[in-house]
Amino acid sequence: MADNMTKNEPEGGKRPRLPVAVVILILAVALGSGLFIRLGGWWPHDHPAGESSETATVQYTCPMHPEIITNEPGQCPICGMDLVKIETTTPPGVKQPAADAAPSKSPDDDFFSDLKETGQADKIVVPDDRVTIHVGPEALQASGVQTAQAVLERISRTVRAAGLITADETRIRHVHTKVDGWVESLAVNFNGQLVTAGQPILSLYSPILLTSQEEFLRAKETAAKFSTNQDEVLRKLGQQLYDSARRRLELFDVPSSFIDELERQGKTSRVVTLNAPVAGFVTAKSIFEGQQIVPGQELFTITDLSRVWIEANLYEYEAGQVAVGQEASLTLPHAPGIRLQGKATYIYPFLNPESRTLKVRFEFANQDFLLKPAMYADVAIDLATVEGVAVPDSAVMDTGTRKLAFVELEAGTFEPRAIETGVAGNGKVQIISGIRAGEKVVVKANFLLDSESRLRATTSRIINKGHQSHGEGK
């Protein structure tokens, strides 16, 4: 009779326990985080008597080999290290506690403790694989957690690229002669020489120019004779001859001052002095004194460097946001503290297939000729400027599939949130959703909080799954 009663005794009469595999998995997760072992002295593990009905189980494991778990102290059979004591709690019953049951211990008794999710406004999302955690005052100071306030401000995404300084191609002038002759003397003798517009550059002897001077003087005399004639046709003819002869000299690039002097003196000159058509630096010189020249031959190249181009290579996703006329700033590696302002003037229509970059041309004023062709310069351009909620970029944790941040709800209480970000630049990130202006976000030691939040969530799911499996097997 007694034997039958023993066999038919309901399972509820015994104190159910979690399967050994579940307990081992919980221990492995806790030890894998390394947090409790490294920071074990930051919070108490023992519960006062009568404060919780849970049963404490003491076991020992190796910090280097968490798969080694024994019920007795000793040394690790693999590395010889002393085993470390760990404690776990086993629920007293097989049924899951009610949701409104009082917590078994105060949140301040642990380094981290789970909290219920609080009601949030729209677009506030707490990830399913993480839980809100609490940090005690001492542990908060020891962990180095720091926060910063989310504020409303303007954010610009600044892109920097190395650019090459080149001359403005529209300010390059080649100097030629339209007649043949011989160079009698040079006023510009070397490359790099600075010339001004109208400055004499060479003296040229040319039979054609000498003949043109004589024709001009004869046309001047003819016009003077016809000017007193009563016949209006002859007066006009004389003036036309004079104008044509002067125009011929001007088309040969003879300076107006030379023609005026020729008209005043009434005597031809063997050589004609030619002047620089534009101001700039001589960047090419191909003639010497006594050299014979022919029409079309290049004599000098004069480059105006008062404005220069800077060509920078931007990646595809960056160049697509640049527009002609957009402002840019420039700094020089060899001249710290100097910043110049310019603008984008042209976006090239072809992509470099090797570097996958697009060339963008910027134009800058070159006062004091500080910018010299072939120099490198750093160009910065703001691709996007928005106004919204901004947080330091260190507050954002990017998992690859989503972005997270921890928000301090109250002193020591941190809630994980899924966030959407926008423009990033100058150490700040725009928050599209997930964080409100005025809230405090964790900017330092947030990865420590994230590890514990995930560990707590995983442990909670394993325990709940163990409760459910015991309930089904009952």
Side-chain angles (χ1 to χ4, degrees):
M1 183 71 173
D3 294 339
N4 293 336
M5 291 178 63
T6 301
K7 294 180 180 179
N8 297 331
E9 184 180 359
E11 296 182 5
K14 293 183 179 181
R15 190 178 185 86
R17 297 181 180 178
L18 292 175
V20 177
V22 174
V23 176
I24 293 175
L25 181 57
I26 295 173
L27 295 175
V29 173
L31 292 172
S33 68
L35 181 63
F36 295 101
I37 293 175
R38 289 190 294 268
L39 307 178
W42 291 4
W43 69 89
H45 292 281
D46 299 330
H47 302 286
E51 193 173 90
S52 174
S53 60
E54 297 179 343
T55 302
T57 302
V58 178
Q59 291 182 315
Y60 299 85
T61 185
C62 174
M64 298 297 296
H65 302 89
E67 68 273 12
I68 304 299
I69 300 176
T70 66
N71 295 325
E72 299 294 336
Q75 294 182 336
C76 175
I78 299 178
C79 62
M81 293 182 62
D82 293 336
L83 299 182
V84 178
K85 181 174 69 173
I86 57 175
E87 295 182 1
T88 60
T89 56
T90 304
V94 297
K95 294 185 178 180
Q96 186 174 357
D100 57 352
S104 60
K105 52 188 176 180
S106 171
D108 292 335
D109 290 338
D110 275 340
F111 180 77
F112 296 110
S113 64
D114 301 348
L115 299 179
K116 296 181 181 180
E117 181 179 344
T118 57
Q120 301 293 335
D122 294 340
K123 296 186 178 181
I124 299 299
V125 179
V126 177
D128 296 336
D129 57 348
R130 287 165 174 79
V131 294
T132 302
I133 54 179
H134 180 82
V135 185
E138 296 181 359
L140 184 64
Q141 182 178 3
S143 62
V145 175
Q146 295 181 6
T147 61
Q149 192 173 28
V151 296
L152 287 173
E153 65 179 42
R154 295 180 64 84
I155 307 176
S156 298
R157 182 191 173 202
T158 303
V159 172
R160 291 175 172 82
L164 183 66
I165 300 176
T166 62
D168 185 343
E169 295 180 2
T170 64
R171 296 172 179 265
I172 299 176
R173 177 71 178 268
H174 295 281
V175 180
H176 303 265
T177 62
K178 300 178 175 64
V179 296
D180 55 0
W182 286 261
V183 178
E184 291 287 325
S185 63
L186 285 175
V188 177
N189 296 307
F190 57 90
N191 285 327
Q193 186 172 350
L194 178 63
V195 299
T196 59
Q199 173 184 334
I201 55 175
L202 62 85
S203 295
L204 177 68
Y205 164 71
S206 172
I208 296 178
L209 293 181
L210 186 59
T211 302
S212 298
Q213 293 179 60
E214 294 174 350
E215 291 178 353
F216 172 74
L217 294 177
R218 288 195 297 267
K220 176 178 175 294
E221 293 175 358
T222 303
K225 291 179 181 180
F226 288 173
S227 63
T228 59
N229 196 292
Q230 296 181 354
D231 191 346
E232 183 180 358
V233 175
L234 291 178
R235 292 197 303 271
K236 289 183 179 180
L237 179 60
Q239 186 63 35
Q240 290 175 356
L241 290 175
Y242 170 81
D243 293 341
S244 297
R246 185 182 180 93
R247 181 63 175 166
R248 177 182 175 86
L249 290 173
E250 292 175 347
L251 292 177
F252 284 149
D253 293 332
V254 177
S256 298
S257 59
F258 181 89
I259 300 175
D260 294 338
E261 185 67 16
L262 174 65
E263 184 176 6
R264 187 179 65 83
Q265 293 185 356
K267 184 173 64 173
T268 61
S269 175
R270 180 176 179 274
V271 296
V272 176
T273 300
L274 303 182
N275 299 334
V278 294
F281 291 89
V282 176
T283 54
K285 171 180 170 290
S286 58
I287 61 169
F288 300 90
E289 290 185 357
Q291 180 177 344
Q292 182 181 6
I293 58 176
V294 296
Q297 180 180 344
E298 181 178 340
L299 308 180
F300 301 97
T301 299
I302 299 177
T303 304
D304 181 6
L305 296 179
S306 60
R307 297 190 69 86
V308 295
W309 290 350
I310 296 181
E311 296 179 338
N313 293 320
L314 301 179
Y315 290 104
E316 297 179 58
Y317 69 93
E318 297 172 339
Q321 302 178 41
V322 178
V324 173
Q326 197 162 353
E327 296 292 331
S329 61
L330 177 145
T331 56
L332 297 172
H334 65 279
I338 296 179
R339 182 178 295 270
L340 303 177
Q341 297 296 322
K343 60 178 59 178
T345 57
Y346 187 72
I347 301 174
Y348 286 80
F350 46 83
L351 190 74
N352 187 326
E354 297 179 355
S355 61
R356 307 303 301 172
T357 57
L358 194 66
K359 185 179 295 185
V360 179
R361 180 197 302 161
F362 301 89
E363 186 174 330
F364 287 85
N366 190 17
Q367 296 181 357
D368 301 327
F369 304 109
L370 184 63
L371 306 179
K372 297 176 174 57
M375 275 186 174
Y376 284 104
D378 296 326
V379 179
I381 183 170
D382 294 336
L383 297 185
T385 301
V386 297
E387 185 172 356
V389 179
V391 299
D393 53 10
S394 59
V396 180
M397 298 183 296
D398 194 341
T399 65
T401 57
R402 61 180 174 180
K403 296 179 180 179
L404 305 173
F406 276 84
V407 176
E408 186 178 28
L409 301 180
E410 57 185 23
T413 302
F414 302 95
E415 179 183 61
R417 292 186 186 174
I419 62 174
E420 294 183 23
T421 60
V423 175
N426 300 322
K428 294 294 186 70
V429 179
Q430 176 198 10
I431 301 298
I432 298 177
S433 66
I435 299 175
R436 307 182 190 92
E439 291 184 317
K440 291 184 177 180
V441 294
V442 179
V443 296
K444 188 175 182 181
N446 45 4
F447 286 95
L448 177 64
L449 299 178
D450 185 59
S451 299
E452 187 62 23
S453 178
R454 286 187 294 168
L455 175 62
R456 287 281 179 168
T458 302
T459 304
S460 178
R461 288 197 301 269
I462 293 175
I463 293 176
N464 292 339
K465 186 176 180 180
H467 289 164
Q468 294 175 1
S469 61
H470 271 279
E472 293 175 357
K474 182 176 176 180

